[in-house]
Amino acid sequence: MFPTWLVWLAAAVPTLVILGGAGVLAARDPRVRRLIEDIEALGWRGAARAVWGLLRDRRVPLAVRLLPVPVLLYLASPVDLIPDFIPILGQADDVLVVAAALWVVLRYAPREVVAAHFRPHHEGGPGAVGGV
C-alpha cells in the first residue's frame, strides 16, 4: 500500500494546480485588478463596509451572497489541502481559495452593484465620509 503522505500529496497537487489556474485567471482579469485597486484605495474599514453592503444587497444572487460562509469555514478549518506548517505552500492554498471566491463574486454579481459598493473615497463610495 502507498504511504499516507504520498496519498495526501497526490490529492493536494492537482487541487493546487486547479486553484492556481483559477488564481492566475483571476489576476489577469482587468475587473479583478480594478477591484483590488479600489479596495486598496478604500482601506480595510471601507473595504469591510463595502463587502458587508455587497453581501446585504438583494440585487446580488443568493449563492454569491452565501459564498463567504464556506470560504470562511475553509480558512478557519484546521484541515487544509496542504498543512499551514509547510512554508509558502501551506498558505498558498488559502490565498488561492480567496482569489477563486473573488473571481466568482465578480463573475456572477452585477457589475453596477459591485461598482457602487467598491467606489474609492473620492468617488463617494461606502468608504467616503457620509457615503452609503
Side-chain angles (χ1 to χ4, degrees):
M1 200 63 178
F2 296 110
T4 305
W5 65 269
L6 187 59
V7 173
W8 280 104
L9 184 64
V13 168
T15 304
L16 278 178
V17 169
I18 292 169
L19 288 175
V24 168
L25 290 176
R28 294 179 70 181
D29 187 348
R31 288 177 55 198
V32 172
R33 279 189 264 145
R34 260 194 320 274
L35 180 65
I36 290 171
E37 291 169 2
D38 288 348
I39 290 172
E40 288 174 350
L42 285 173
W44 73 270
R45 286 185 181 146
R49 277 193 294 262
V51 168
W52 181 249
L54 188 64
L55 294 177
R56 294 180 52 211
D57 198 318
R58 298 268 181 198
R59 296 174 290 175
V60 177
L62 182 61
V64 174
R65 288 189 283 154
L66 294 177
L67 185 62
V69 174
V71 170
L72 290 174
L73 286 174
Y74 175 78
L75 293 175
S77 169
V79 178
D80 272 343
L81 295 173
I82 297 178
D84 287 338
F85 63 82
I86 298 174
I88 300 173
L89 291 177
Q91 289 75 31
D93 67 330
D94 296 340
V95 170
L96 293 174
V97 165
V98 171
L102 176 63
W103 182 82
V104 168
V105 167
L106 289 177
R107 174 73 174 88
Y108 293 105
R111 290 181 185 192
E112 60 276 356
V113 175
V114 173
H117 286 285
F118 284 94
R119 275 181 282 175
H121 298 281
H122 62 277
E123 295 181 19
V129 175
V132 180

